[in-house]
Amino acid sequence: EPEVTQTPSHQVTQMGQEVILRCVPISNHLYFYWYRQILGQKVEFLVSFYNNEISEKSEIFDDQFSVERPDGSNFTLKIRSTKLEDSAMYFCASSVGPGEMRGYTFGSGTRLTVV
Amino acid sequence: GENVEQHPSTLSVQEGDSAVIKCTYSDSASNYFPWYKQELGKGPQLIIDIRSNVGEKKDQRIAVTLNKTAKHFSLHITETQPEDSAVYFCAASAQAGTALIFGKGTTLSVSS
């Protein structure tokens, strides 16, 4: 079964440093997403991306965050200057396309620890 | 925006019993309601979903019901097994390509 692949699985970074989290969505999917889950809390939406631009973002997704699809397969989340409160699991997801939600699939996540 | 409430936060059952988890949503425009199972250290895995034009859907031991008038939907697991132990999240979305709004999760423990 097709999977959403995320790397790295764990990332430890110093406060103030930049991090890039990487994702390879399912190949025929057109919508891409990042979600965040702080330990023990619910999964929170960050951003959705379609047709090479952000289609929706939450209030969490402020100026320190950016997303990019640098080539035909990767989808990245950059956090420019990490803060302690950015420590969380970050999940990438992808879905098929307009009118079809059934293929909404999550990756296994990247655990980001900011020290 | 959409807000999804989920209850209970924890649920303990004996193997073989049924488990029911309930969610309510606020946005009447929401029309897609998936349920995810999350095991420790893993991403959410879709277990069943329902759209607003359907009142009930069943897949083996798992069923979901939807009441659009009351804006609530429920997950039913029958004949629970220890491997059903996990955190379960409900979610709601208005249309394809938009955000899934999640509930806070229910930790289900099935003891043998």
Side-chain angles (χ1 to χ4, degrees):
Chain A
E1 186 160 331
E3 291 183 342
V4 174
T5 304
Q6 289 187 244
T7 55
S9 56
H10 294 88
Q11 174 93 43
V12 180
T13 189
Q14 295 275 343
M15 188 170 55
Q17 294 295 306
E18 175 184 287
V19 294
I20 298 176
L21 310 182
R22 302 180 191 279
C23 170
V24 179
I26 294 173
S27 61
N28 64 334
H29 285 188
L30 300 177
Y31 287 91
F32 315 114
Y33 315 84
W34 284 101
Y35 285 78
R36 177 182 84 175
Q37 186 179 32
I38 295 171
L39 185 64
Q41 298 187 24
K42 67 177 175 180
V43 179
E44 299 174 292
F45 170 74
L46 293 178
V47 65
S48 62
F49 191 86
Y50 173 69
N51 200 27
N52 286 318
E53 60 183 22
I54 290 173
S55 53
E56 186 181 3
K57 62 181 181 179
S58 73
E59 58 190 25
I60 302 170
F61 193 87
D62 60 22
D63 290 344
Q64 69 162 341
F65 291 94
S66 62
V67 289
E68 190 178 31
R69 188 155 164 83
D71 52 44
S73 60
N74 290 284
F75 179 54
T76 63
L77 174 69
K78 181 190 291 186
I79 309 175
R80 186 165 50 243
S81 178
T82 50
K83 303 189 285 272
L84 293 176
E85 53 264 38
D86 293 327
S87 296
M89 282 289 287
Y90 288 81
F91 294 106
C92 175
S94 66
S95 66
V96 174
E100 177 52 73
M101 292 296 290
R102 188 62 177 86
Y104 208 121
T105 304
F106 284 83
S108 294
T110 294
R111 180 173 299 283
L112 177 65
T113 302
V114 182
V115 297
Chain B
E2 176 64 278
N3 182 50
V4 176
E5 298 288 338
Q6 182 172 348
H7 300 278
S9 56
T10 59
L11 180 59
S12 296
V13 299
Q14 291 285 327
E15 183 177 3
D17 288 350
S18 294
V20 180
I21 303 170
K22 299 183 178 181
C23 288
T24 60
Y25 62 99
S26 60
D27 188 351
S28 57
S30 291
N31 59 10
Y32 176 70
F33 307 94
W35 286 87
Y36 286 86
K37 177 182 182 182
Q38 187 179 30
E39 296 175 324
L40 199 61
K42 296 184 179 180
Q45 297 292 311
L46 180 70
I47 55 172
I48 195 167
D49 56 7
I50 191 167
R51 297 175 189 274
S52 60
N53 58 348
V54 174
E56 183 174 357
K57 184 176 178 181
K58 189 172 182 181
D59 182 2
Q60 299 182 355
R61 297 187 296 109
I62 295 172
V64 57
T65 59
L66 171 64
N67 183 327
K68 279 219 76 177
T69 303
K71 295 198 189 74
H72 64 71
F73 56 113
S74 301
L75 177 72
H76 305 252
I77 306 173
T78 59
E79 300 172 28
T80 53
Q81 301 167 1
E83 50 265 39
D84 293 330
S85 297
V87 180
Y88 290 81
F89 291 96
C90 62
S93 178
Q95 61 184 6
T98 62
L100 282 178
I101 305 302
F102 283 81
K104 288 188 175 180
T106 296
T107 301
L108 174 65
S109 300
V110 181
S111 54
S112 56

